[in-house]
Amino acid sequence: MPSTDARLLLSAVVPTAAVGAIATVISGIVAGGKGAIGAVLGTLVVLLFMGIGMLVLQRTAKKLPQLFQAMGLLLYTTQLLVLFVFLALLKGTTVFDFKAFAFTLLAATVVWVAAQARAYMKAKIAYVEPEKTGSKS
């Protein structure tokens, strides 16, 4: 993974994990152990889904740059739909506190998207690959 890709990924992972840790503490205080479990699971789901999506998007950008924008839109739409499916499937669970899971999922997703947008705005990524200048034969 090139250093730019790793930096962009890290720029989104760290704030999301921090929000997940805060949500885990708050959920643990408010809803007990089940709330903490729900918050941890919500954070892990966001980190996993968004992280995989970001890696797929970066690879698409390198191999098929003409599809980057369409792929990004499709990817984010699919991710949100899958997160809604997760919420619908786990609504009646008793293993963890569903409200803690749902609120953490929402907060972590918003932080991930905001952190990723900020990282891309601050990154100095060349839009055009410069020609290689070297020895001419």
Side-chain angles (χ1 to χ4, degrees), residues 3 19-20 26 31 34 43-44 52-53 60 69 74 80 91 97 102 105 124 126 133:
S3 63
V19 164
I26 292 171
K34 287 188 175 190
T43 304
L44 290 176
I52 290 171
T60 301
Q69 189 173 11
L74 177 68
L80 289 176
K91 190 172 185 178
D97 186 59
L105 196 72
K124 296 190 178 3
T133 57

Side-chain angles (χ1 to χ4, degrees), residues 9-106:
L9 185 62
L10 195 60
S11 297
V13 168
V14 171
T16 305
V19 164
I22 293 167
T24 301
V25 170
I26 292 171
S27 297
I29 292 170
V30 172
K34 287 188 175 190
I37 292 170
V40 167
L41 289 175
T43 304
L44 290 176
V45 166
V46 170
L47 288 172
L48 181 70
F49 276 65
M50 297 298 194
I52 290 171
M54 189 172 183
L55 292 174
V56 167
L57 195 58
Q58 287 172 345
R59 289 199 176 174
T60 301
K62 284 180 180 39
K63 291 182 182 177
L64 302 166
Q66 68 275 16
L67 294 179
F68 179 71
Q69 189 173 11
M71 182 68 172
L73 183 60
L74 177 68
L75 182 67
Y76 287 125
T77 305
T78 304
Q79 285 175 332
L80 289 176
L81 288 173
V82 170
L83 290 176
F84 283 131
V85 168
F86 254 95
L87 288 173
L89 290 175
L90 297 173
K91 190 172 185 178
T93 188
T94 58
V95 176
F96 55 84
D97 186 59
F98 179 73
K99 285 184 181 178
F101 174 76
F103 283 122
T104 303
L105 196 72
L106 176 64

